[in-house]
Amino acid sequence: RSTTRKIFSLLNNQYINHEGRSKVLEAIRSLGEHICIDCIRHYQKPQQLKDNLEAAIRLPKGHFPEPEKVLKTILLFLKCCHPITSGENLVESMAQIVQRKDPYGILSRVHDIVHLLSITPCCFQMVEQADSSSSIKLKPEFQNYESIRREYDSRIIEMAMSNDFCLSAEQWSYLFYGNMQHEFEMALIYQKLHTPQSFTTAINLFYDMAKHAQGDPQTIEHLRGYFQFLSNIDLEKDASQWYQYTAALGLLKKVLKLLINLHK
């Protein structure tokens, strides 16, 4: 769905002047990167994808957090319960509450999620009480489920991307929520974390995944070369050179054709 949307966005760009051609080339490069990431997913089974993500964010196998219950418990506990004085007490107290309804493996999830939210910049703050004692509270910007969940998602994606794990916004939404309804939010996070090296990282990961999956060698090499060309597009320089501009369009067409063949 997102690939189709990007194609229509590309087709709606004007290419008469230099600025228009530069925007078209930017859209071509973005679409090329998106297709590259889609190809990575093609060469991974769902369980392998989850295992690779756990490795990227340094979790033991089978420990990928399901955060909704834990995050809502954090919010409820810090809002309604007695003040606590350390992160360790926060973990232990919440674990006891959640274990009453779900005694299986929740403690490790609480530890993982509280640790993630405690990494600088920390989502918690120490608040001085009237009796001069201190307690842990969530910072004001994280005191509802939507905001703390968005921060949690962002930190998982950032950790994964920093360890060369690539997914599209659509795929992140499905992995986190089991549907595509949060694709826009995932896209905002991805765009914030995206760097000029992201496409190159995706190409290397695609090549490694495809080789290990024993895909068709000729197709893999062709795609790798096409992706490398698209990743090296120079928006200013290539927009002034029609042969580079038309070459980029031609290679994108070939990439789309190979992508369609992969999904048959």
Side-chain angles (χ1 to χ4, degrees), residues 72-235:
K72 287 183 176 179
T73 302
I74 290 175
L75 290 165
L76 181 64
F77 185 84
L78 293 182
K79 183 177 181 180
C80 302
C81 296
H82 295 293
I84 53 177
T85 56
S86 73
E88 184 178 354
N89 288 340
L90 174 63
V91 171
E92 293 175 351
S93 299
M94 286 193 304
Q96 290 174 8
I97 292 173
V98 182
Q99 276 180 323
R100 297 170 191 167
K101 296 182 179 180
D102 178 14
Y104 303 106
I106 193 65
L107 182 59
S108 63
R109 294 182 209 163
V110 172
H111 273 283
D112 293 334
I113 291 174
V114 171
H115 173 71
L116 181 67
L117 297 177
S118 300
I119 297 172
T120 304
C122 184
C123 295
F124 304 102
Q125 62 181 353
M126 299 300 293
V127 178
E128 188 172 337
Q129 305 298 310
D131 60 358
S132 297
S133 64
S134 296
S135 64
I136 293 179
K137 298 289 183 183
L138 281 164
K139 291 181 178 178
E141 60 266 36
F142 302 121
Q143 290 183 357
N144 61 65
Y145 176 73
E146 289 74 20
S147 61
I148 198 171
R149 179 59 194 263
R150 185 164 54 248
E151 182 66 16
Y152 166 85
D153 292 347
S154 179
R155 292 186 181 208
I156 290 288
I157 294 173
E158 182 175 15
M159 288 179 65
M161 290 179 66
S162 67
N163 287 285
D164 298 340
F165 183 88
C166 299
L167 282 182
S168 67
E170 190 176 46
Q171 293 158 1
W172 277 117
S173 178
Y174 189 80
L175 184 63
F176 281 154
Y177 297 94
N179 57 58
M180 307 300 180
Q181 296 176 10
H182 297 268
E183 181 186 351
F184 179 73
E185 293 93 327
M186 299 299 103
L188 291 178
I189 294 171
Y190 183 83
Q191 290 166 10
K192 181 181 177 181
L193 299 171
H194 186 272
T195 70
Q197 289 74 43
S198 296
F199 198 170
T200 300
T201 298
I203 294 169
N204 293 336
L205 185 58
F206 155 74
Y207 191 64
D208 184 60
M209 287 285 180
K211 285 196 304 181
H212 282 85
Q214 297 181 334
D216 176 57
Q218 188 175 18
T219 299
I220 293 170
E221 290 296 336
H222 282 162
L223 278 171
R224 184 193 190 192
Y226 299 157
F227 289 142
Q228 287 175 334
F229 181 93
L230 296 176
S231 71
N232 290 324
I233 288 175
D234 185 318
L235 300 183

Side-chain angles (χ1 to χ4, degrees), residues 31-50:
L31 181 55
E33 182 176 353
H34 181 81
I35 293 171
C36 181
I37 293 173
D38 194 44
C39 288
I40 294 171
R41 184 201 56 78
H42 173 79
Y43 287 107
Q44 293 182 92
K45 295 179 180 179
Q47 186 57 50
Q48 183 186 6
L49 187 149
K50 185 170 285 191

Side-chain angles (χ1 to χ4, degrees), residues 2-8 10-11 27-28 30-36 38-39 219 222-223 226-227 230 248-264:
S2 55
T3 301
T4 304
R5 189 165 56 247
K6 285 180 177 290
I7 292 172
F8 276 108
L10 170 62
L11 294 174
I28 289 173
S30 175
L31 181 55
E33 182 176 353
H34 181 81
I35 293 171
C36 181
D38 194 44
C39 288
T219 299
H222 282 162
L223 278 171
Y226 299 157
F227 289 142
L230 296 176
L249 283 170
L251 283 184
L252 181 62
K253 182 179 178 181
K254 291 180 179 180
V255 166
L256 285 168
K257 185 176 180 180
L258 287 172
L259 177 66
I260 292 169
N261 290 335
L262 280 177
H263 286 291
K264 283 183 177 179

